[in-house]
Amino acid sequence: MIDNVYSKADVAEFKLWMEWASRFVIVTHISPDGDAIGSSLALYHYLAGKGKSVSVVIPDSMPDFLSWLPAAENAISYKEQPELADKLLQETDVVCCLDFNVPTRIGNVAESMLQSKAKKILIDHHLNPGDFCDLLLSRPDASSTAELVFQFICALGDYSEVNNQVATCIYTGMMTDTGGFTYNSNHSRIYHIISFLLKNNIDKDAIYRNVYNNYSESRLRLMGYVLHKKMKVFPEMSTALITLSDKELKENHYKKGDSEGFVNLPLQIKGIKFSVFLREDADENIIKASLRSVGDVPCNIFASTYFNGGGHKNASGGEIHNSLKAAEAIFFKGMEEWSKSDDECIKELFKKS
Ligand code: 5GP
Ligand code: MN
């Protein structure tokens, strides 16, 4: 039922690690999303169920909308407890790198992770993985890392160990990385897996509510402000841009995570195929860019060319150390350059409808 996407050699190698290793540390990316946390906690519950000592280290903090996940409270924030996280990373037998492709995606955790003498495994679905792990399970075709963790547990022969906690975390990752199964979600394999997870009594409706209907009043009001005042629509480029300055965020009682998903909103407009959201992050002194696209428009190329970032074809991000005004100018320069592109997938944006 579930395709085996891993080579026998890779699976056999990890099985050997499982025989001698007792301590595991799972690390995932900065500003973790539902897939980062879902896949990490799924693996955490699986390994803990096998009697291993397991820790999850996240570079910054657990977002509110995921704090209900089983064992989310056990995750260690590198920002808050760097000594503990460093100690765990140096003393562990195995480091599992989930949902990121290169060490820079884990911020300050990178140095400690790279220095650790532990065996390292990467399970991820981003393009162009770096060569920093002993086992590299990179599958850019997968819609989420959570899906890959499920397939990995199955490949290890532990299908039956996917209990309700593991299943809940897997489903959360799969759901969030596909926008509630609205993009990147056409493969039948996804629904085979969900069918199995439902047999483990996951409450998929409650998971949806916990993630998507659990926002603060300030978020909804900020969204109203964004839609009314801040969304610029460029029909001639099939594109929309949203910017939010630190001042605007403060005026709207912004809390971390409040702008999650805003970048998707303009795609609800007929004809809009590319959306860019630029948010000033005064704490980090950066402008954070989030990009989304529809169909073959490669927003990750825009992210890597203009915002030092990357990601998936339809969902990517990046950041620049500059002012919001400068970031906006970079966006317009990028669009100007894109309007002259020979790439059919990019030209799509500038066709008259
Ligand atoms: P989001 O817009 O939700 O922050 O990020 C969407 C996707 O873009 C992430 O899943 C990740 O793949 C990618 N991404 C976000 N920020 C960055 C970044 O700064 N650098 C790179 N390389 N990828 C990013
Ligand atoms: Mn992911």
Side-chain angles (χ1 to χ4, degrees), residues 33 105 126 288 290-292 308-312 315-319:
D33 55 15
R105 292 283 292 137
H126 295 89
K288 178 72 200 150
S290 280
L291 302 91
R292 298 290 185 272
N308 311 309
H312 313 283
S316 61
E319 56 189 47

Side-chain angles (χ1 to χ4, degrees), residues 282-297:
D283 290 344
E284 304 288 335
N285 204 15
I286 56 163
I287 305 298
K288 178 72 200 150
S290 280
L291 302 91
R292 298 290 185 272
S293 61
V294 178
D296 288 331
V297 178

Side-chain angles (χ1 to χ4, degrees), residues 29 33 35-36 99 124-126 143-146 173 177 312:
H29 63 76
D33 55 15
D35 189 34
D99 201 38
D124 179 48
H125 67 139
H126 295 89
S143 65
S144 62
T145 300
D177 253 23
H312 313 283

